[in-house]
């Protein structure tokens, strides 16, 4: 009986490990003016089906806003608190009692980051306080029985490496040895992740003549070869992650998992950044990194290994100093419209809202059309995007089709905007199109050109789309079933092999 239980448990673990990809979250920084209230931010996050969020402190209003949601929250101990947290256990215990425990478990806190990129902090010797502070936070969690439910770690920048290329030569900066080894021992002992902030953008910005833009955007058709291992790299992100894996292996910390707590791409920059910082590049990079994570591709050195990644950031942060790019990493404007289209499921380039099936105003009988105030350029750009990455079937606006006449940009854009709007559950954001779309309550259908609603009639072209979608769904389900069967067969093989190799 015990052997049967062992077999079932082993199968379960292997199925979970091989059939589920990494998780994608978003960083919610607040160094900005005119941001929505935390409650509205939570609504925005839920609307876009974001399930993992990182904040950089433990603000009570924010923690309260995330209560009674399924969103998993990573909270932070700022560098300014590290000294006090490292010096006194009572300081940490008081902090937990007053600032964390009142919101848990209503607010689903899963990680605490003790310090952020402390080795880069120019103001204090923050890194010397990190490990003692981490130990005290863990001790405090143990006292209240939460040390296994809330993991403790710290976030670092890639500057922690002295060498990152080729990846197999990855090595930590020896000047941080006093801090690194005890930190890594803490992570290994407590099964906490190594948290890193990775930005291939900076590598391209600072050396555009030596680094290909396509290579950092996951768009390269060429490969970079690691001469020591023969492994082929098609993007810089994988190379940077593997450099960290090799650096950990060199210090004999092979069991520590890596979590990317920040990555992203800016939409605007100063003159020296204009070639790289743009909405198009940001959409390309973030779409590709999400797809890379959720499909569980892993890296050349760790193929198929799941990794959790957080996109930076939810909003632009105008209070930050430095180059223009520092203030322009946001996915949304303060009015909660999207800076560019992004899908956190990794299935397409358009946002997918929650499963409620209603828009934010609760109306199911609304349509989306082109705004009369939108410029021709904006309409054309939005129309091209919707018929391409937006996955809208635009057959109906082609010559001889029901919605070709009148042959105007506004008319064609209106039909396509509405198709995208309804396909994405008629949310306000799905009708934004950068301000080129507008919602109406009057049916814009005419003659044989029928504008669909969430549950209404469709043109023949739209019906064809629905059939194709149905076939795709069926095909996807069959593929999923095949993968699950394969996982089950593999897990059964190894489990039975393990059982047969043991004496009765």
């Amino acid at each position: 009986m015990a052997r049967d239980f062992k077999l079932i448990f082993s199968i379960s673990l292997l199925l979970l490990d091989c059939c589920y990809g990494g998780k994608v979250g978003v960083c919610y920084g607040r160094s900005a003016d005119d941001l929505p209230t935390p409650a509205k931010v939570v609504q925005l996050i839920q609307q876009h089906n974001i399930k993992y969020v990182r904040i950089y402190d433990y603000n009570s209003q924010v923690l309260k806003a995330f209560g009674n949601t399924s969103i998993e929250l990573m909270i932070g101990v700022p560098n300014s608190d590290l000294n006090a947290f490292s010096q006194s256990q009572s300081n940490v215990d008081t902090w937990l009692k007053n600032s964390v425990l009142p919101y848990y478990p209503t607010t689903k806190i899963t990680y605490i980051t003790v310090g952020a990129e402390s080795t880069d902090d120019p103001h204090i010797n923050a890194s010397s306080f990190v490990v003692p502070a981490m130990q005290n936070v863990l001790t405090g969690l143990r006292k209240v029985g939460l040390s296994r439910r809330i993991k403790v770690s710290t976030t670092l920048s890639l500057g922690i490496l002295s060498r990152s290329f080729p990846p197999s030569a990855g090595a930590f900066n020896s000047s941080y040895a006093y801090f690194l080894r005890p930190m890594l021992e803490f992570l290994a002992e407590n099964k906490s992740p190594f948290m890193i902030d990775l930005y291939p953008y900076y590598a391209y910005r600072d050396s555009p003549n030596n680094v290909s833009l396509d290579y950092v955007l996951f768009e390269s058709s060429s490969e970079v070869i690691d001469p020591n291992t023969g492994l082929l790299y098609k993007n810089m992100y994988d190379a940077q992650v593997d450099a960290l894996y090799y650096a950990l292996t060199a210090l004999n910390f092979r069991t520590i998992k890596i979590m990317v707590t920040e990555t992203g791409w800016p939409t605007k920059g100063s003159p020296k950044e204009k070639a790289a910082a743009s909405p198009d590049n940001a959409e390309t990079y973030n779409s590709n990194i999400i797809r890379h994570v959720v499909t569980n591709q892993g890296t050349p050195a760790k193929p198929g290994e799941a990794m959790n990644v957080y996109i930076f950031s939810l909003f632009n942060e105008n209070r930050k100093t430095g180059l223009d790019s520092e203030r322009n990493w946001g996915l949304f404007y303060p009015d909660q419209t999207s800076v560019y289209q992004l899908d956190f499921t990794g299935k397409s380039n358009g946002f997918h809202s929650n499963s409620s099936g209603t828009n934010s105003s609760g109306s199911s009988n609304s349509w989306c059309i082109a705004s009369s105030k939108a410029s021709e350029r904006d309409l054309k750009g939005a129309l091209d995007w919707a018929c391409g990455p937006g996955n809208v079937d635009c057959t109906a606006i082609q010559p001889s089709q029901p919605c070709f006449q009148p042959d105007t940009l506004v008319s064609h854009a209106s039909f396509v905007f509405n198709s995208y709007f309804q396909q994405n559950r008629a949310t306000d954001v799905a009708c934004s199109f950068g301000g080129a779309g507008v919602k109406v309550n009057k049916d814009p259908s005419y003659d044989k050109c029928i504008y669909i609603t969430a549950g209404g009639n469709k043109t023949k072209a739209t019906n064809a789309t629905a059939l194709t979608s149905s076939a795709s769904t069926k095909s996807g389900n069959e593929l999923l079933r095949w993968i699950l069967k394969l996982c089950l067969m593999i897990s059964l093989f190894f489990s039975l092999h393990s059982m047969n190799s043991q004496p009765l």
Side-chain angles (χ1 to χ4, degrees), residues 429-452:
V429 172
C431 187
S432 64
F433 293 99
V438 60
K439 285 202 320 179
V440 295
N441 294 323
K442 182 179 179 180
D443 188 352
S445 301
Y446 59 93
D447 297 333
K448 294 182 180 180
C449 183
I450 308 302
Y451 280 57
I452 66 171

Side-chain angles (χ1 to χ4, degrees), residues 156-440:
L156 300 167
S157 72
L158 199 63
I160 201 71
L161 295 182
S162 61
R163 186 169 59 249
S164 61
F165 189 84
S168 60
F172 287 112
N173 191 326
S174 59
S175 63
Y176 300 125
Y178 70 95
F179 155 72
L180 267 171
R181 183 162 288 278
M183 184 205 70
L184 294 175
E185 289 173 348
F186 175 96
L187 299 181
E189 181 180 351
N190 296 288
K191 296 181 174 58
S192 292
F194 183 97
M195 295 180 168
I196 189 75
D197 298 342
L198 287 185
Y199 288 100
Y201 164 78
Y202 289 123
Y204 174 75
R205 184 197 69 181
D206 296 339
S207 190
N209 295 326
N210 299 320
V211 179
S212 163
L213 179 60
D214 286 345
Y215 184 62
V216 294
L217 291 176
F218 290 78
E219 297 282 291
S220 178
S221 58
S222 60
E223 297 171 321
V224 176
I225 301 176
D226 186 320
N228 300 324
T229 63
L231 294 176
L232 305 178
Y233 289 85
K234 293 185 177 182
N235 63 80
M236 179 170 284
Y237 172 87
D238 281 349
Q240 291 180 339
V241 170
D242 276 355
L244 287 164
Y245 275 127
Y246 282 109
L248 288 169
T249 299
L251 295 181
N252 203 30
F253 290 98
R254 294 179 174 85
T255 62
I256 297 176
K257 302 292 184 181
I258 292 174
M259 176 186 288
V260 177
T261 41
E262 282 185 18
T263 193
W265 200 278
T267 56
K268 182 180 178 182
S270 55
K272 67 174 291 188
E273 302 173 296
K274 282 185 178 178
S278 72
D280 285 345
N281 287 342
E283 180 180 348
T284 299
Y285 177 84
N286 284 331
S287 295
N288 284 335
I289 191 70
I290 291 171
R291 191 174 299 110
H292 192 68
V293 171
V294 301
T295 54
N296 213 22
Q297 294 180 31
T299 65
K302 297 277 187 176
E305 180 152 319
M307 181 182 296
N308 299 341
V309 171
Y310 287 75
I311 303 296
F312 184 87
S313 67
L314 200 60
F315 299 104
N316 289 335
E317 296 181 88
N318 65 299
R319 294 179 189 170
K320 288 191 170 182
T321 59
L323 296 177
D324 288 349
S325 63
E326 291 299 313
R327 295 176 287 280
N328 290 281
W329 295 80
L331 305 177
F332 297 95
Y333 295 110
D335 66 359
Q336 302 175 63
T337 58
S338 57
V339 178
Y340 52 88
Q341 302 298 321
L342 194 64
D343 171 26
F344 277 83
T345 69
K347 296 176 182 176
S348 69
N349 286 343
F351 270 112
H352 282 239
S353 63
N354 59 26
S355 58
S356 65
T358 62
N359 58 29
S360 60
S361 64
S363 172
S364 59
N365 293 316
S366 58
W367 294 262
C368 178
I369 62 173
S371 171
S372 60
K373 298 180 181 179
S375 68
E376 182 176 334
R377 177 181 176 182
D378 288 344
L379 285 177
K380 188 177 186 306
L383 181 61
D384 291 343
W385 178 88
C387 292
N391 292 324
V392 173
D393 184 347
C394 296
T395 305
I397 62 171
Q398 301 305 313
S400 77
Q401 295 301 315
C403 301
F404 177 70
Q405 294 293 344
D407 182 13
T408 65
L409 182 59
V410 171
S411 178
H412 291 175
S414 292
F415 178 83
V416 171
F417 285 7
N418 183 69
S419 297
Y420 179 83
F421 175 65
Q422 305 296 348
Q423 289 171 16
N424 289 275
R425 299 183 177 90
T427 64
D428 288 344
V429 172
C431 187
S432 64
F433 293 99
V438 60
K439 285 202 320 179
V440 295

